């Protein structure tokens, strides 16, 4: 009686089942060395190898920018593509906001403290430059003047600008420089990491400031810089040069922190960039201080409206955009910047800037006389 059995053997990436030599399911087979058996075995191996081959798996691109709701983040035309960027949403979202919160508080304090010292040094240098200017005017009167000097023309143009326009010139130059860096393909990964703010990124704090100077779209940058240039004279006349710079930089960080809070609360992670949050602070401050001022849209110069009504419309639009989840703009950052501008011009100026005197006195002692010797008290 013949024994029925199978021997399993591996063949390449496939599997093959063959009969033992000399055994048969139905009876005796030809001898092991016969050509007929070898041919059957060869064909059997080939068929099983082809039959057990696995189809290659198609690698799907990872979409890490998916919120907790499962909806993919829809990219705005104003931000760079993020398909190749890996984000890491924290399993404990509230902890993500701890470091950005302390960075916001610390940076804002340093910004206003530095502005107070800058104002002190600026006033001191103006006194010295007044006497130097008298000497320079006397030398210019006896020195032969050069016609067509390029440097002279640049100085003439610079002196024709208002204090506000001269102040924002450096900010605009920084934005143009960062915009040019976006045009370098080899820098895209670095720019996405440090010049876009996203609570799902590994780098959380420095992008809150650097993204304020970052624009990927030329239209986005041109629109923001035009608004900043238009309101520069008014805001610097209200706050002064040093205080304006502190407010502008702090507004960029604060508006990004509000954006972080909104993204963590809704689970809609995604990168943001642009100076819109800080510019909204400037716009809101001017509109709050001068509510009856007349404004117009560049494309509709004949249609004018009051600054107070414009501010109300902007706040209403950004509030609706944040609630409804509109993704073309970062409406949370816009709203945070606008609310900070209203608060600062109403209360913050009295609470922060007018209480800088102790710091200025301390700096004055360190700068001029040094620490007092002796143990006597004042």
């Amino acid at each position: 009686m013949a024994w029925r059995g199978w021997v399993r053997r591996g063949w390449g990436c496939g599997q093959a089942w063959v009969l033992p030599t000399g055994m048969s399911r139905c009876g005796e087979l030809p001898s092991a060395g016969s050509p007929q058996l070898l041919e059957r075995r060869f064909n059997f191996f080939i068929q099983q190898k082809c039959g057990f081959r696995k189809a290659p798996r198609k690698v799907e691109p990872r979409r890490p920018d998916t919120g907790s709701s499962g909806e993919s983040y829809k990219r705005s035309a104003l931000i760079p593509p993020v398909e190749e960027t890996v984000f890491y949403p924290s399993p404990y979202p509230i902890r993500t906001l701890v470091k950005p919160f302390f960075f916001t508080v610390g940076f804002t304090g340093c910004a206003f403290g530095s502005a107070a010292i800058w104002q002190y040094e600026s006033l001191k240098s103006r006194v010295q430059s007044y006497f130097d200017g008298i000497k320079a005017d006397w030398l210019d009167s006896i020195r032969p003047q050069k016609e067509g000097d390029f440097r002279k023309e640049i100085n003439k143009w610079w002196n024709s600008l208002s204090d506000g326009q001269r102040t924002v010139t450096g900010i605009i130059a920084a934005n143009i420089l960062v915009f040019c860096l976006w045009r370098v393909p080899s820098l895209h990964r670095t720019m996405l990491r440090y010049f876009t703010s996203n609570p799902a990124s590994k780098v959380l704090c420095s992008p809150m400031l650097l993204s304020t100077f970052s624009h990927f779209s030329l239209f986005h940058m041109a629109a923001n810089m035009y608004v900043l240039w238009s309101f520069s004279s008014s805001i610097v006349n209200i706050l002064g040069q040093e205080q304006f710079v502190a407010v502008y930089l702090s507004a960029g960080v604060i508006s990004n922190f509000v954006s972080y809070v909104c993204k963590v609360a809704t689970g809609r992670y995604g990168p943001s960039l642009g100076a819109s949050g800080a510019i909204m602070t400037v716009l809101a401050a001017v509109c709050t201080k001068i509510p009856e001022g007349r404004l117009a849209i560049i494309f509709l110069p004949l249609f004018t409206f009051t600054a107070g009504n414009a501010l109300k419309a902007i706040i209403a639009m950004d509030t609706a955009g944040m609630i409804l989840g509109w993704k073309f703009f970062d409406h949370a950052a816009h709203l945070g910047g606008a609310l900070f501008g209203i608060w600062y011009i109403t209360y913050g100026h009295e609470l922060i800037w007018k209480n800088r005197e102790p710091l200025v006195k301390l700096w004055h002692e360190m700068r001029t006389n040094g620490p007092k010797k002796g143990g006597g008290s004042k």
Side-chain angles (χ1 to χ4, degrees):
M1 183 176 180
W3 175 72
R4 297 183 181 181
W6 299 88
V7 177
R8 186 179 184 181
R9 298 180 182 176
W11 179 272
C13 62
Q15 304 273 335
W17 296 88
V18 298
L19 290 170
T21 304
M23 297 295 180
S24 172
R25 294 164 53 187
C26 303
E28 294 295 333
L29 285 173
S31 62
S34 65
Q36 184 179 4
L37 179 60
L38 293 176
E39 182 180 359
R40 288 180 180 179
R41 286 185 177 181
F42 180 78
N43 293 336
F44 187 71
F45 289 160
I46 296 299
Q47 291 174 3
Q48 292 298 329
K49 179 182 176 183
C50 297
F52 281 86
R53 178 179 298 169
K54 296 181 179 180
R57 182 182 299 175
K58 184 178 180 181
V59 179
E60 296 291 339
R62 184 181 179 184
R63 299 301 300 273
D65 50 345
T66 303
S68 59
S69 61
E71 297 179 358
S72 297
Y73 180 82
K74 297 180 180 179
R75 184 175 70 88
S76 168
L78 302 181
I79 65 175
V82 295
E83 285 77 7
E84 298 181 357
T85 305
V86 179
F87 300 129
Y88 303 88
S90 172
Y92 307 100
I94 300 300
R95 297 182 183 178
T96 306
L97 300 175
V98 175
K99 289 175 62 177
F101 172 76
F102 285 106
F103 176 78
T104 301
V105 175
F107 180 84
T108 301
C110 292
F112 280 96
S114 300
I117 296 174
W118 177 19
Q119 187 185 57
Y120 167 84
E121 294 292 338
S122 178
L123 291 174
K124 190 174 182 180
S125 64
R126 286 178 187 176
V127 176
Q128 183 65 34
S129 63
Y130 173 76
F131 296 102
D132 293 340
I134 296 176
K135 182 179 179 180
D137 292 339
W138 178 76
L139 291 175
D140 289 339
S141 62
I142 62 176
R143 183 187 300 149
Q145 301 295 322
K146 296 181 179 180
E147 298 294 336
D149 188 8
F150 178 74
R151 184 176 179 180
K152 182 179 179 181
E153 295 298 325
I154 294 295
N155 291 334
K156 183 178 179 181
W157 169 79
W158 180 257
N159 293 329
S160 66
L161 300 178
S162 64
D163 290 339
Q165 290 172 339
R166 285 197 290 264
T167 302
V168 301
T169 299
I171 298 176
I172 295 175
N175 281 268
I176 294 175
L177 174 61
V178 176
F179 175 78
C180 293
L181 294 178
W182 275 111
R183 310 273 73 82
V184 181
S186 59
L187 295 178
H188 275 187
R189 186 174 295 273
T190 301
M191 301 298 291
L192 283 169
R193 178 182 289 264
Y194 294 102
F195 287 85
T196 61
S197 60
N198 187 359
S201 176
K202 283 187 174 181
V203 184
L204 292 174
C205 296
S206 57
M208 297 173 69
L209 174 64
L210 297 178
S211 64
T212 306
F213 300 88
S214 179
H215 297 84
F216 183 76
S217 168
L218 178 61
F219 173 79
H220 189 200
M221 183 188 69
N224 280 340
M225 295 303 101
Y226 174 79
V227 174
L228 179 61
W229 182 268
S230 301
F231 283 86
S232 60
S233 298
S234 299
I235 191 64
V236 171
N237 288 336
I238 295 171
L239 300 178
Q241 182 182 25
E242 299 83 6
Q243 187 180 185
F244 159 72
V245 173
V247 170
Y248 184 87
L249 297 178
S250 301
V253 175
I254 291 172
S255 61
N256 274 309
F257 178 73
V258 175
S259 174
Y260 276 14
V261 173
C262 182
K263 290 175 181 177
V264 169
T266 60
R268 298 168 182 163
Y269 296 100
S272 300
L273 74 171
S276 302
I279 292 174
M280 283 298 301
T281 298
V282 173
L283 180 63
V286 174
C287 293
T288 303
K289 191 69 174 180
I290 316 173
E292 300 302 324
R294 306 297 298 184
L295 302 178
I297 302 175
I298 184 174
F299 302 108
L300 301 172
L302 299 179
F303 178 69
T304 61
F305 41 85
T306 63
N309 290 335
L311 181 59
K312 294 175 183 177
I314 291 173
I315 291 177
M317 183 186 68
D318 286 324
T319 303
M322 185 178 66
I323 295 174
L324 299 177
W326 298 344
K327 298 177 181 178
F328 190 76
F329 295 111
D330 191 340
H331 294 280
H334 288 193
L335 187 61
L339 294 179
F340 174 68
I342 296 172
W343 175 84
Y344 186 82
I345 208 68
T346 306
Y347 306 105
H349 176 75
E350 298 286 336
L351 294 175
I352 299 177
W353 191 249
K354 288 193 174 182
N355 291 322
R356 70 190 187 282
E357 185 177 355
L359 176 62
V360 174
K361 284 185 176 180
L362 178 62
W363 177 258
H364 175 72
E365 293 178 358
M366 295 174 59
R367 180 74 170 77
T368 55
N369 302 328
K372 294 288 184 180
K373 295 183 179 181
S377 61
K378 292 183 180 180

